Structures are given as structure tokens and as C-alpha cells.
Amino acid sequence: MIEFGIFNNQGTDLPPVETEHDAMAPGGTLADVHASAQRIQGSQVRQAVLADQLGFHYWFQTEHHFQIEGVEISPNPLITEAAIAVLTKQIRLGQIANVLTTHHPVRLAEMAAQVDVLSGGRLEFGIARGYQPREVEVLGWPFGTVHDQERNRALYEEVVEVIVKCWTRDSISHRGQFYTLPPTYTKWNHPQTIAFYDRPGITPTLEEAMHLGPPDMYSSGLPVMATTTTLKHISVLPQPLQKPHPQIWEPLTSDRSIRWAAERGINGYFIAEPNAILRTRVDAYMEAAGQAGWTDYKNRGAFKRGWDSERKRGVVVGRVVHVVEDGIGDLEKIAAAAQVSWDYYGGFGFNFLLADEQGNIPPRASFQMLRDKGLYIVGTREQVVEQIMQIKDVGGFEDFFFTAWFEQPGLSEAEIAQQMRVFMQDIAPALRERCGGSPTNPPLGVDYTVPVAGVAVHA
């Protein structure tokens, strides 16, 4: 079986230009970059709606901030996917990923649950630790993976714990290294809250949910505040429709992250693993999952190697795909787009993925290097099919989940849509034939045009 997804990183639509610093960048001024960022928000939603209509199974977005460099203009995937949710019916909505260290866990749990509810239960929740100092220092705690690996990881793991509590428990109380929820000092002498918890059969009980105390002699004003009564529990609303909670995903690179995800039943996403090392990465994930007793958020037991289409469990692979044939596609444009992207990623050291057999890391990526490593699949329809099948074979997948990355810096919305259509009309059928078919997502969307209490609602 084979399943198809789209990874949308939301690059600028401005044409790339070469600079004097051995790096390509978006053409135009900062004002042009801002205008592009506005345009492509709507473009991203339209691409997702088209993906749903074409029959793609999954839609993944990323989260990044402040990127005038034009590669990843996607500051809040959950907001975009809330819009997508009400316009689609079958495609599942994921993030690769929400940067947990730049969010309060309760707020993120609420937003993600809202997307799950609005979509009828189609959320796939992505998590990441954050590696870019410009983002984590502005938006989050004053440390990221580049500053303090162990403290960042401890925060990350606690945020995951809090989010799962919010989704699975009617009421939560959390005491951790980074968060105390609710804070011990939160005053809440509200008679309605007290009345709710004081009824028979309500759990937690009033005594468990609140510490009741006398008026506070040092406070004045509203009765809620002029008190020593404090909260001990909170209920986070809404919770997701999916039970026990949506599947969690994590982009994987290091052996440690692969093992951590596998041991906790978290699906993995390999974004930029060259074909030459993909099998070792899949091996590591499967070995860790087996040693952990095939941990799974639904306790479904062992799953097929690499990906299991029935359980929706395992790891997936993403690649840039660009068909160049019969007047479709543009080799020069995709080459320039690749250069913009990897001039950006190279600044973070990701060129180590392009090292040669002697371990020499290139100072600057080239389009040909990216093609040689299998990260960019560019060519005729037949060549694209063969290169995707090569990834399946190299990784040793039983079922296969392939995620195509069509948008790239400098490509127009029309060019991206054309690539999506060609893929599903001409390439996907050949892949299905060679992989034993493809499942169909059940329709789970909510009909927001249904009249409510006699009030007509128009889409």
C-alpha cells in the first residue's frame, strides 16, 4: 500500500536573485517580502483545498518565524489549518512541526484541539524542539537546542506531557520543572465554580479542585480576588474528537530523537535524509520501537516495517518533486529555488547531509548535489516514479508513505498547482500499481452550511 502527503513550507513567490555573498535571496525590498507573505497565505489554503480534491491523504505545514530569507513563511500552521479544515472533507491536517518551546503548552493544546474539532477529527499533531535562536529567543524560553540541549529537551518533554494531559483528562493539575498549572497563587473565589464542583458525583471533588479559604485582609475589590481561596485544578476546553488523542509526529534527524519518538509511539518524519543513510534511520526507529514493546498511542501492537497503512503508524519520507516534461515544470526555476532553500539551511549546518564518501562537507550546496543525494526528485514522469520507488526500496518499507514537496521559493501558485495535478493524475497511479494500491481517507469534515436553529449559514 502507498499513501500520499504534501509538505508545504510556504516559500515566497518572489523570484530569487544572486547576491555578492555566495547566497541567493528573494528579489525585491522588505516591503515586497511583506506583500508576498500576505499573498501566499491565501495561496497555501487554496493549495490544501486542491490537495483534498485531488485525493492526497495528508497535508503538512511547518512553523517558522521572521524569515525575510523567503524560505519558510508559515508562522502558525494551526491557524491556517483551521481555515483549511472548514473547506475540506478528507485530507488529514498535520504540522512538521509546532515548535513547542515557543508556545505555552495549554494554549497550544487548545488551538490544536480546536483544529481537530473543526475538521471532524483530522488533526495530526507535530512537535519539534526549536533550533533557530532568532525564533526561540524572541518567542520562547531563552534557550534552544543551540544553547542548552539538555534544558531544551527537558522543557520539550514536559510540554508534551502537559499537552497530552490537557487532551485526555477532564481536569488537570501539573507540577513540573517549568510549569505549575494552575499556579499555586491563582485566586478564584467564584460561587458558580464552587457550586459546580460541590455537586454529588463530580470529580475532582470541591476539595480536590479548590483550596477554600477566608477573605484576604490584604485584598479588596471583586470577591473572586479578595480571598485566600485558590485553584488546584483546571479543565482545558475543548478536547480533541480523536481518542485518546490525535497521533503525534516529530521530524527526526539524530539517533537520540529517533529513539525517543519510537519509544513513545510518536510517528517520525524524515525530511532531508539522503537515500544513502535512509535505511539506517528506518532501522534505528524500528529497532527502538520493538525494544520498547511496540509502544503505540492506541495500544495496537507491532506494525509493519517503516509504515503501516492500516495502523497509520511508523515513519514517512519527504522529497521535493518537480516534473519537467512536455512543457510542464521549469528546470532553471527549480534549480534557483533549491539554491535559495539550501543557502538558508546551510547556514544552520545542514550541509553535513551532503557530505561525500570521505566525509567532506561542501561549503555550499548545489542543485546537482541535492539531486544526487535524492533530496530533489526532478525529471520526467517516469523518472519521478522510479526515484520514488527507489526510496521505498532503499528504506526497506513494507507499506509506504511518500510526502511530496511541491512549493519552492520563486514558484507561482499556478506552477505549484500544475505539479500537484500532474503528480496525482500521472504519477500516483503508477505508484499505486507497484505498491499494491492505496487506501482512501473516510470523509470526516463538518458541514458548516447546515442551518442551525433555523438560521441559514452560507459557505
Side-chain angles (χ1 to χ4, degrees):
M1 298 290 280
I2 186 169
E3 296 183 67
F4 302 109
I6 290 180
F7 177 58
N8 191 293
N9 219 14
Q10 202 52 40
T12 180
D13 58 2
L14 295 174
V17 295
E18 190 67 69
T19 71
E20 298 177 358
H21 299 276
D22 289 330
M24 294 192 79
T29 65
L30 266 179
D32 295 326
V33 172
H34 281 290
S36 173
Q38 293 170 340
R39 286 193 300 273
I40 60 179
Q41 301 308 304
S43 173
Q44 194 171 42
V45 173
R46 289 188 291 272
Q47 289 171 45
V49 172
L50 176 60
D52 184 58
Q53 295 169 349
L54 291 173
F56 283 93
H57 299 91
Y58 288 77
W59 170 268
F60 290 104
Q61 292 180 218
T62 189
E63 179 193 349
H64 283 294
H65 305 267
F66 319 129
Q67 292 198 7
I68 58 170
E69 299 83 7
V71 179
E72 300 166 318
I73 307 175
S74 183
N76 195 321
L78 289 171
I79 284 182
T80 306
E81 289 178 357
I84 295 168
V86 301
L87 297 172
T88 57
K89 295 297 182 184
Q90 293 179 273
I91 198 162
R92 301 194 65 81
L93 304 173
Q95 311 85 47
I96 300 295
N98 299 291
V99 181
L100 300 195
T101 50
T102 63
H103 291 275
H104 190 286
V106 175
R107 292 288 292 123
L108 189 58
E110 290 173 336
M111 288 192 295
Q114 284 181 278
V115 173
D116 196 56
V117 172
L118 291 171
S119 67
R122 290 182 282 135
L123 175 73
E124 304 286 325
F125 187 68
I127 60 175
R129 294 201 289 137
Y131 70 94
Q132 298 188 15
R134 182 172 60 183
E135 295 179 343
V136 296
E137 291 179 3
V138 172
L139 296 174
W141 294 77
F143 52 88
T145 57
V146 295
H147 302 96
D148 189 335
Q149 280 278 357
E150 296 312 312
R151 192 156 54 141
N152 174 279
R153 184 175 289 279
L155 170 62
Y156 177 69
E157 294 181 3
E158 185 174 334
V159 170
V160 175
E161 178 186 354
V162 171
I163 289 172
V164 172
K165 283 183 178 179
C166 292
W167 285 347
T168 58
R169 300 184 185 182
D170 291 342
S171 184
I172 71 165
S173 178
H174 177 83
R175 302 292 182 266
Q177 296 184 73
F178 301 93
Y179 292 99
T180 298
L181 305 169
T184 58
Y185 51 81
T186 300
K187 297 180 176 182
W188 192 256
N189 187 36
H190 199 295
Q192 199 172 34
T193 310
I194 294 170
F196 181 91
Y197 283 118
D198 202 29
R199 292 179 297 156
I202 297 296
T203 56
T205 65
L206 177 59
E207 291 73 20
E208 292 168 334
M210 304 179 71
H211 170 76
L212 300 179
D216 186 353
M217 62 180 292
Y218 300 105
S219 297
S220 60
L222 299 174
V224 168
M225 298 294 296
T227 182
T228 58
T229 294
T230 55
L231 282 176
K232 294 194 289 184
H233 270 254
I234 53 172
S235 292
V236 180
L237 309 170
Q239 290 185 333
L241 294 180
Q242 297 181 77
K243 301 300 178 186
H245 57 74
Q247 176 69 58
I248 299 176
W249 296 72
E250 183 180 22
L252 303 177
T253 300
S254 70
D255 290 338
R256 186 174 178 180
S257 65
I258 290 171
R259 177 166 291 277
W260 187 86
E263 291 173 346
R264 288 160 178 78
I266 294 172
N267 283 354
Y269 193 110
F270 293 121
I271 297 177
E273 263 61 29
N275 291 355
I277 64 173
L278 181 60
R279 178 174 286 273
T280 62
R281 296 291 197 262
V282 177
D283 286 345
Y285 186 92
M286 298 305 296
E287 180 183 356
Q291 290 175 349
W294 303 104
T295 307
D296 178 69
Y297 78 125
K298 289 187 175 181
N299 298 315
R300 295 169 295 183
F303 50 91
K304 293 179 181 179
R305 176 183 165 81
W307 180 253
D308 190 316
S309 284
E310 180 181 355
R311 292 173 173 82
K312 310 301 181 187
R313 183 77 179 83
V315 295
V316 307
V317 178
R319 293 287 189 266
V320 175
V321 175
H322 195 79
V323 174
V324 181
E325 186 181 22
D326 299 333
I328 296 168
D330 189 313
L331 193 60
E332 289 187 7
K333 272 194 170 184
I334 195 63
Q339 198 66 64
V340 172
S341 295
W342 277 83
D343 282 349
Y344 185 75
Y345 299 135
F348 295 99
F350 285 110
N351 285 350
F352 81 90
L353 294 167
L354 307 177
D356 61 23
E357 294 180 357
Q358 289 73 43
N360 300 310
I361 300 173
R364 189 184 186 192
S366 72
F367 181 49
Q368 191 58 51
M369 289 178 191
L370 297 167
R371 295 183 71 179
D372 291 344
K373 293 291 184 179
L375 300 181
Y376 277 63
I377 298 176
V378 179
T380 66
R381 294 168 175 83
E382 183 178 352
Q383 289 170 336
V384 168
V385 170
E386 292 304 321
Q387 290 177 70
I388 293 174
M389 287 303 301
Q390 182 183 11
I391 296 170
K392 180 181 185 296
D393 295 340
V394 165
F397 289 86
E398 292 186 66
D399 291 341
F400 192 37
F401 184 163
F402 179 75
T403 303
W405 185 352
F406 298 112
E407 63 76 23
Q408 288 282 282
L411 297 185
S412 69
E413 182 178 346
E415 289 171 315
I416 298 165
Q418 183 183 54
Q419 292 290 328
M420 293 168 60
R421 290 191 177 95
V422 169
F423 185 91
M424 289 306 281
Q425 292 169 3
D426 301 338
I427 294 170
L431 293 170
R432 290 192 190 101
E433 183 177 353
R434 294 175 64 170
C435 294
S438 184
T440 300
N441 284 358
L444 294 175
V446 178
D447 188 352
Y448 289 97
T449 65
V450 173
V452 177
V455 179
V457 180
H458 301 283

